[in-house]
Amino acid sequence: MTKHALNGFLATSVAFINEVAAVCELVGADAAEVSRGLKSERRIGARAYLAPGDAFAGGTLARDVAFLREAAHRQGLSSPRARWVAEGNAAHKQWTRRRLTARLA
């Protein structure tokens, strides 16, 4: 369970910073600078798994987020944060296409 929770947390970080990066693009902010600023918070730390980029795919993070959602569901619990991570990550998979389309338009 600890491994699933750790990977769920890492997946949350990836999905969160990618969503922040999308907003940064719209308002003209530097997502890498925002990421550095977040890591300056002592409760997050400089080594935080927090860098804008591609959506996480397959493998451990996606599998463990799915496990957490399914485990909660089997027990009759809601897991809105795990759902948010999965949905946010799925939406971010279109990021590259949106950027290319915008540059070619």
Side-chain angles (χ1 to χ4, degrees):
M1 189 65 199
T2 300
K3 178 187 125 357
H4 296 307
L6 283 169
N7 283 330
F9 181 79
L10 294 175
T12 300
S13 296
V14 171
F16 177 74
I17 195 61
N18 283 335
E19 190 168 305
V20 168
V23 175
C24 286
E25 285 182 352
L26 295 174
V27 301
D30 181 346
E33 186 61 32
V34 172
S35 176
R36 280 190 292 280
L38 290 171
K39 291 176 187 179
S40 72
E41 166 58 53
R42 67 181 174 89
R43 292 169 292 175
I44 294 173
R47 297 185 62 187
Y49 194 76
L50 190 65
D54 290 334
F56 60 85
T60 305
L61 297 182
R63 182 184 65 235
D64 286 341
V65 169
F67 171 85
L68 292 170
R69 290 180 71 189
E70 291 166 13
H73 179 74
R74 283 193 305 270
Q75 298 301 318
L77 300 173
S78 175
S79 56
R81 278 158 291 286
R83 185 182 73 245
W84 171 82
V85 168
E87 290 172 359
N89 190 63
H92 190 69
K93 289 179 180 179
Q94 301 303 315
W95 174 72
T96 303
R97 179 181 298 166
R98 285 192 311 270
R99 289 200 57 175
L100 287 172
T101 300
R103 287 187 186 205
L104 295 173

